Amino acid sequence: MTQTDNAGRLIWLTGPSGAGKSTIAKALRGRIADSGRRVEILDGDEIREVISPELGFSKEDRNIQIDRIGYIASLLTRNGVDVIVSAISPYRQSRDRAISRSSRSFEILVSAPLEVLIDRDTKGLYGKAIRGEITGLTGYDDPYEEPIGSHLRVDSHRLSLDEAVLLIEEFLTLEVANA
């Protein structure tokens, strides 16, 4: 058996703030754990707070953040742990580089229209951006580069949480069956 055969899966949830990445990640973690697999979540906000508190939100800093998450994910996946990354990861090049570090990786775009993101604004970021209190909010006044060839798109405004998790689970099951 090769190292790749034992590798955990990297499930990279990307999308703008408020799309539902963290919520989906937590529910998906529970389902994967219930199946007997080892699983961890790497949440962009938590990683920033604990590992990258010195980083700001410039493009360079965001790329460093994504590189760090990708490296940590690769360490876990090569040791048989499934990793769910929940991070905006706005720039395609750094996201692709981070994802490519793991041998069994799946990029999933979690998406919702801007109006829905503003309505869900639990962190108050869109409100601050609209009032001009902050700038550089991904998907509002800073670009979010959608994946060109993501493995799956989850339109969180059209699906319930259970439906979104089931869609991802079904996708992962098919990918394993076809591997």
Side-chain angles (χ1 to χ4, degrees):
M1 195 178 288
T2 67
Q3 185 174 352
T4 302
D5 294 333
N6 287 330
R9 301 171 296 185
L10 171 59
I11 305 154
W12 194 289
L13 304 178
T14 180
S17 181
K21 299 176 301 298
S22 295
T23 302
I24 291 170
K26 289 173 188 167
L28 183 60
R29 175 184 54 194
R31 299 288 289 265
I32 291 172
D34 288 347
S35 75
R37 295 185 62 91
R38 295 183 305 155
V39 60
E40 291 292 337
I41 293 176
L42 297 179
D43 183 84
D45 291 338
E46 292 176 11
I47 297 292
R48 180 174 290 281
E49 183 179 314
V50 175
I51 295 175
S52 305
E54 80 286 2
L55 296 178
F57 292 92
S58 68
K59 184 173 184 175
E60 180 182 358
D61 283 355
R62 290 177 195 220
N63 287 339
I64 291 169
Q65 167 80 343
I66 295 310
D67 284 342
R68 289 176 181 176
I69 293 172
Y71 178 71
I72 296 166
S74 72
L75 294 176
L76 290 165
T77 59
R78 77 177 183 206
N79 285 285
V81 178
D82 284 349
V83 176
I84 305 166
V85 170
S86 170
I88 294 171
S89 44
Y91 306 114
R92 194 175 298 120
Q93 185 176 14
S94 63
R95 187 175 58 236
D96 289 349
R97 184 175 52 249
I99 291 170
S100 72
R101 288 178 178 263
S102 296
S103 63
R104 295 177 62 202
S105 56
F106 307 99
E107 182 179 43
I108 299 174
L109 172 62
V110 181
S111 180
L114 182 59
E115 312 81 61
V116 173
L117 301 175
I118 291 170
D119 285 345
R120 292 180 180 169
D121 192 14
T122 58
K123 298 176 191 173
L125 298 174
Y126 290 100
K128 289 179 181 178
I130 290 167
R131 292 187 301 273
E133 296 171 13
I134 62 169
T135 59
L137 179 60
T138 300
Y140 185 76
D141 63 349
D142 197 59
Y144 173 77
E145 299 172 357
E146 284 196 5
I148 292 174
S150 65
H151 292 93
L152 184 66
R153 179 185 184 109
V154 175
D155 291 319
S156 64
H157 62 292
R158 294 189 176 144
L159 301 171
S160 70
L161 177 58
D162 287 340
E163 290 169 331
V165 171
L166 182 60
L167 178 66
I168 295 169
E169 283 182 306
E170 288 174 349
F171 164 77
L172 293 172
T173 300
L174 287 174
E175 286 300 311
V176 168
N178 292 328

